[in-house]
Amino acid sequence: MIRLLSAAFAVALLVATPALAHNGVIHLGPINISVPFTRATLPNAPVGGGFLTIENTGTEADRLISATSTVAGDTQIHEMKMEGDVMKMRQLTDGIEIPAGETVELAPGGLHIMFLDLNQPFVEGETVTVTLTFEKAGTVDVPLPVMAAAADGPAEHAGH
Amino acid sequence: MAALKTVRIGLWVAVVALGLTAAAAAVMLRQQQPAEGGFGKGVYSLVDQNGATLDQSMFVGQPTALFFGFTHCPEVCPTTLAEMTGWFEALGDEGKDLKAYFVSVDPERDTPAVLREYVSWVSDRITGITGTPEEIDKIAKAWGVHYERIPLEGADYTMDHTASVFLLDAKGEFQGTIAYREDSAVALGKLRNLLAKS
Ligand SMILES: [Cu+2]
């Protein structure tokens, strides 16, 4: 945890790499980020979830070590799962490993960025920005379009 | 010798009889519990989103969809509430008698005022319920609902909780569940069954 924190601070000191995006994919070195979205929050709901797909085209494993955002008092990396009929959610303090050549999905029902203590509700049609820091690839701003409250994916993927 | 044998047999008979009585008592106890209480049965004193007092009679008189959750829930609760909206829309007039309750398992943060806006988003068909931690514990235990406070970094916490929707007939009797993210056609089928029975 200490090691990860110091790595996070070291990387955060560097200027966030400008995102090179085309076809909806954000490139950060060997890391490709796609299908980003979040969901509209219910009135008074103080939390929101952020979802996106991370592909590591490189030959070395990387790790998503932190997420920050100005839209929330705190932003964390979480895992949700169903154990029987019980919903369990856990904070991943060590972040998420993105193995070389593999794709990791942060999607409803599983891994997600957790926005806590929201400064304002997430409104469908708007966009919120999350800043992701990878251990090796560095830091990037990712805009998340706000979809409907129970959306399973961003607009272009809805209905598939 | 014969007398001793008789005593021994007599003792054994007594032991067996005692054992049988204990077994019968155990069976009776086990059968009595549901008769006295039953799944979901109990005496609760809770408050709704407007601060009005509610008790166990809230489940009597109409079919009910009952859900336990909390407003700090990132996914399961908003998704389920959104799906409930879909059910109400799909059922239309057919579902006019159906009521839905959202019972908070996080009563410390979910005050009636917080719940009011949260559930109002769904429709006036769903009532938000909270109460003292003791009363919430009673209704959760009655329905076999698991909930547990899990600390997060900082002072924040989240709640593990049972994510199924309970279906109750007009007598308040348990009729089944809708699982989290159950296929909407299957969920609607279950609701139509419930409405037909009620
Ligand atoms: Cu929940």
Side-chain angles (χ1 to χ4, degrees), chain B residues 159-172:
Chain B
M159 304 291 297
D160 288 353
H161 67 95
T162 299
S164 303
V165 175
F166 297 98
L167 302 178
L168 286 58
D169 66 16
K171 287 185 216 131

Side-chain angles (χ1 to χ4, degrees), chain A residues 1 39 42-47 74 76 78 80 82 85-91 93 108-109 114 116 149-150 152, chain B residues 71-76 79 81-82 113-114 117-118 121 146 150 152-153 156 158-164 181:
Chain A
M1 192 53 210
R39 290 163 157 181
L42 269 51
N44 277 339
V47 298
D74 193 9
Q76 302 180 349
H78 278 196
M80 183 204 124
M82 296 297 297
D85 58 355
V86 175
M87 182 279 291
K88 297 195 169 185
M89 188 170 74
R90 295 293 177 269
Q91 184 177 1
T93 48
M114 180 86 178
L116 299 111
D152 275 327
Chain B
T71 64
H72 281 64
C73 183
E75 193 180 323
V76 170
T79 303
L81 289 179
V114 165
E117 276 188 71
Y118 189 78
W121 175 82
H146 170 88
I150 306 293
L152 294 170
E153 222 163 60
D156 218 331
T158 184
M159 304 291 297
D160 288 353
H161 67 95
T162 299
S164 303
R181 300 244 80 176

Side-chain angles (χ1 to χ4, degrees), chain B residues 89-173:
Chain B
E89 277 168 14
L91 290 169
D93 239 22
E94 211 185 328
K96 65 181 187 315
D97 294 333
L98 183 68
K99 259 196 168 183
Y101 289 107
F102 177 86
V103 181
S104 174
V105 293
D106 185 14
E108 283 171 56
R109 295 190 294 200
D110 291 342
T111 61
V114 165
L115 280 177
R116 186 161 55 233
E117 276 188 71
Y118 189 78
V119 299
S120 71
W121 175 82
V122 185
S123 75
D124 54 1
R125 307 287 295 282
I126 178 152
T127 305
I129 293 191
T130 185
T132 63
E134 294 73 26
E135 292 295 318
I136 291 293
D137 200 52
K138 269 161 66 180
I139 189 170
K141 281 219 174 78
W143 287 98
V145 165
H146 170 88
Y147 68 106
E148 189 179 349
R149 187 175 168 143
I150 306 293
L152 294 170
E153 222 163 60
D156 218 331
Y157 63 90
T158 184
M159 304 291 297
D160 288 353
H161 67 95
T162 299
S164 303
V165 175
F166 297 98
L167 302 178
L168 286 58
D169 66 16
K171 287 185 216 131
E173 302 289 342

